[in-house]
């Protein structure tokens, strides 16, 4: 995100200030990015009952976490970190294919998928439809992500820093000119 002449990695970290030789600091910047660019906007959308848009941002956040954290397939991240997907592993793939891919590539949820803020469960299978409560999904993702961030090892911080350096190489060069 650019504000004036400054390119920001996250709400509180400028690209020009990132030091990838300090992986723990990069992990903090990563947490700030995920919370500031994905979780908080999705939460604001949920508060205004914009479930569809909140779901799209939440899916983008899941993908960013999984790939940046360690090139983990987002479906695997969901299964290993969210109870609802761990209990029924058959839901992760349809969710990812129909919700994330449908939203990102076609602007729609495919195969009867639905977001509902009224659903009492995070994931609910009703006939052929998978119903996802984006508020409960977001809450579960935020909790899992917070747990990851508080228990991050030095080695994982290094992997994260290297992945982010590779993903944002062009932005880092531009910010340091």
């Amino acid at each position: 995100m650019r504000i004036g002449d400054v390119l920001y990695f996250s709400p509180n970290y400028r690209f020009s200030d990132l030091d990838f030789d300090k992986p723990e600091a990069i992990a903090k910047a990563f947490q700030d990015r995920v919370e500031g660019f994905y979780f908080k906007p999705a939460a604001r959308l949920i508060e205004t009952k914009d479930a569809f848009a909140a779901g799209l941002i939440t899916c983008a956040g899941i993908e960013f976490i999984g790939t940046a954290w360690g090139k983990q397939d987002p479906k695997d991240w969901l299964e290993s970190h969210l109870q609802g997907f761990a209990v029924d592993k058959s839901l992760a793939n349809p969710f990812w294919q129909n919700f994330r891919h449908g939203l990102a590539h076609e602007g729609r949820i495919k195969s009867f998928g639905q977001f509902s803020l009224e659903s009492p469960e995070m994931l609910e299978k009703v006939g052929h439809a998978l119903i996802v409560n984006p508020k409960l999904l977001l809450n579960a993702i935020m909790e899992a992500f917070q747990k990851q961030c508080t228990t991050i090892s030095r080695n994982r911080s290094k992997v994260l820093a290297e992945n982010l350096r590779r993903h944002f190489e062009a932005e880092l060069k531009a910010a340091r000119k």
Side-chain angles (χ1 to χ4, degrees):
M1 179 172 73
R2 180 174 290 281
I3 300 174
D5 291 336
V6 179
L7 187 58
Y8 282 83
F9 173 76
S10 71
N12 297 301
Y13 291 84
R14 298 180 301 191
F15 272 102
S16 60
D17 293 337
L18 296 179
D19 182 351
F20 284 87
D21 293 326
K22 296 180 180 174
E24 287 86 2
I26 297 302
K28 292 289 184 197
F30 172 68
Q31 184 175 0
D32 188 60
R33 181 182 180 91
V34 170
E35 291 172 354
F37 287 171
Y38 301 96
F39 294 166
K40 288 178 183 176
R44 286 191 301 268
L45 288 165
I46 288 168
E47 288 302 312
T48 60
K49 307 225 182 298
D50 290 318
F52 189 86
L56 176 59
I57 292 173
T58 300
C59 286
I62 294 166
E63 187 160 19
F64 184 66
I65 292 167
T67 56
W69 194 260
K71 298 181 185 176
Q72 186 175 22
D73 186 289
K75 292 177 295 202
D76 295 337
W77 188 89
L78 288 168
E79 288 175 354
S80 61
H81 291 89
L82 272 64
Q83 181 70 20
F85 289 104
V87 169
D88 188 349
K89 292 185 187 270
S90 71
L91 297 177
N93 191 56
F95 171 77
W96 203 246
Q97 293 298 316
N98 298 332
F99 285 75
R100 186 277 176 200
H101 291 326
L103 289 165
H105 299 297
E106 298 178 29
R108 67 184 183 100
I109 302 168
K110 301 188 297 187
S111 298
F112 303 108
Q114 303 164 21
F115 283 124
S116 173
L117 292 168
E118 297 171 355
S119 178
E121 303 293 327
M122 180 177 76
L123 304 166
E124 185 178 8
K125 193 88 163 125
V126 178
H128 294 292
L130 177 59
I131 301 169
V132 176
N133 183 319
K135 181 176 184 174
L136 298 178
L137 176 65
L138 178 62
N139 290 341
I141 292 165
M142 289 189 314
E143 183 179 321
F145 181 70
Q146 184 64 36
K147 183 177 179 182
Q148 272 189 304
C149 291
T150 57
T151 60
I152 190 170
S153 68
R154 179 147 174 78
N155 282 344
R156 177 56 58 193
S157 293
K158 287 180 182 178
V159 169
L160 177 62
E162 286 307 310
N163 288 340
L164 292 171
R165 182 192 320 245
R166 190 174 52 258
H167 288 311
F168 292 104
E169 186 176 354
E171 290 86 348
L172 289 164
K173 286 180 185 177
R176 295 203 169 111
K177 287 186 178 184

